[in-house]
Amino acid sequence: MSYQSISEHLTKLANPDIAAHSQRFFKTAKGEYGYGDKFLGIRVPVLRQQVKHFKKVPLKTAEQVLSSPYHEIRLFALLLLVYRFKRANETEREAIYRLYLSNTQHINNWDLVDTSAHVIVGGYLLNRDKTPLTQLANSQVLWERRIAIIATLHFIKYEQYQPTLAIAEILLNDDHDLIHKAVGWMLRELGKRDLTLEQKFLQQHYQKMPRTMLRYSIEKFTKEQRDKYLHGLV
């Protein structure tokens, strides 16, 4: 169960046609957010199936796998860490959380973040100090900022809404579309559980929110409500 054996096993599942599509889909051209990433062409359901075959690998090995130059192998490592975190005791959960935050340079695309941040970072911080999220939200690294807001999805499920609002406020002036989408998504998720609270936040901030963020956050509103927000009539 070494890094090499896992890498070789996954490489055998590669599909060049899928890889070529993924290269385009995940914006890997020069100047795009995924520039330089490499793909093997392995679909997510296939990767999920492989996790159970390697579920007992040492965390040190999982960390090595997470450093792979191939996107799907890094995704496999994160799926493995998520699987382990959900079944771990508190000691191992802390180890996984710290491993995760020590390797954010390898969690460098939106699907990698969205698959893992809410479970590992959100799960660990649920009943702990949320200061690490503020630090991530103020990072110069796009993916760390996305980790900060996506992690709050876990809190929303437990009716802890203030962390989402706090991180959303920090990210209101972010200049990246992928942050606008993520913040809008989390506000929408919050609104499914407490619409009044979401509307209160929007009332205060919607006129200065990036358009994409606003559109995502009001996606489930009625057309009449959406039009009022989009035309500044609320």
Side-chain angles (χ1 to χ4, degrees):
M1 291 188 183
S2 66
Y3 162 71
Q4 189 65 30
S5 64
I6 294 172
S7 182
E8 289 175 357
H9 175 81
L10 294 176
T11 300
K12 292 176 182 177
L13 304 174
N15 182 312
D17 292 333
I18 297 174
H21 174 267
S22 296
Q23 292 284 158
R24 296 188 298 271
F25 183 75
F26 286 102
K27 307 296 184 184
T28 61
K30 188 173 182 179
E32 295 182 316
Y33 61 74
Y35 175 61
D37 207 352
K38 299 179 180 179
F39 287 79
L40 292 168
I42 311 171
R43 297 198 184 279
V44 175
V46 176
L47 290 173
R48 290 189 185 278
Q49 290 171 358
Q50 304 310 308
V51 167
K52 293 182 181 180
H53 298 306
F54 296 96
K55 61 185 179 182
K56 294 184 179 180
V57 301
L59 290 184
K60 189 64 178 177
T61 302
E63 186 172 21
Q64 291 176 315
V65 176
L66 184 55
S67 69
S68 171
Y70 290 102
H71 186 102
E72 294 95 339
I73 295 180
R74 298 198 306 281
L75 177 55
F76 169 82
L78 291 168
L79 291 170
L80 176 61
L81 291 172
V82 165
Y83 179 93
R84 290 279 290 271
F85 187 90
K86 289 179 176 179
R87 295 159 178 80
N89 59 32
E90 283 303 308
T91 299
E92 186 173 350
R93 283 190 167 203
E94 181 177 0
I96 293 171
Y97 166 78
R98 298 197 180 285
L99 184 161
Y100 189 93
L101 290 188
S102 296
N103 287 275
T104 54
Q105 70 271 29
H106 304 306
I107 308 169
N108 57 351
N109 215 310
W110 58 264
D111 63 319
L112 304 179
V113 173
D114 296 358
T115 296
S116 57
H118 63 294
V119 178
I120 295 173
V121 179
Y124 183 75
L125 295 178
L126 179 64
N127 295 312
R128 292 181 170 88
D129 177 31
K130 307 298 191 292
T131 299
L133 295 186
T134 302
Q135 296 169 343
L136 289 166
N138 284 294
S139 171
Q140 295 298 308
V141 180
L142 165 64
W143 308 115
E144 291 188 347
R145 301 198 303 275
R146 187 161 174 121
I147 287 169
I149 188 63
I150 297 298
T152 70
L153 177 60
H154 191 75
F155 310 146
I156 292 171
K157 294 176 180 178
Y158 287 86
E159 299 182 349
Q160 293 185 19
Y161 303 134
Q162 288 306 315
T164 300
L165 299 178
I167 300 302
E169 192 162 8
I170 291 172
L171 297 174
L172 277 176
N173 297 315
D174 200 280
D175 61 1
H176 205 289
D177 184 64
L178 287 173
I179 299 300
H180 303 168
K181 291 177 179 178
V183 172
W185 172 21
M186 290 304 104
L187 290 173
R188 186 175 73 235
E189 290 300 317
L190 185 157
K192 290 178 182 178
R193 295 161 175 80
D194 192 331
L195 181 58
T196 300
L197 187 59
E198 183 192 5
Q199 290 175 327
K200 182 179 179 181
F201 182 87
L202 291 176
Q203 181 68 38
Q204 184 178 357
H205 298 292
Y206 84 97
Q207 290 183 319
K208 59 184 177 182
M209 290 172 70
R211 206 66 167 173
T212 298
M213 187 186 295
L214 178 59
R215 286 186 180 277
Y216 268 61
S217 66
I218 63 175
E219 190 176 83
K220 299 299 182 181
F221 289 16
T222 66
K223 184 180 184 305
E224 181 181 5
Q225 288 175 318
R226 293 198 304 272
D227 287 344
K228 285 183 178 180
Y229 277 103
L230 292 172
H231 293 97
L233 301 174
V234 178

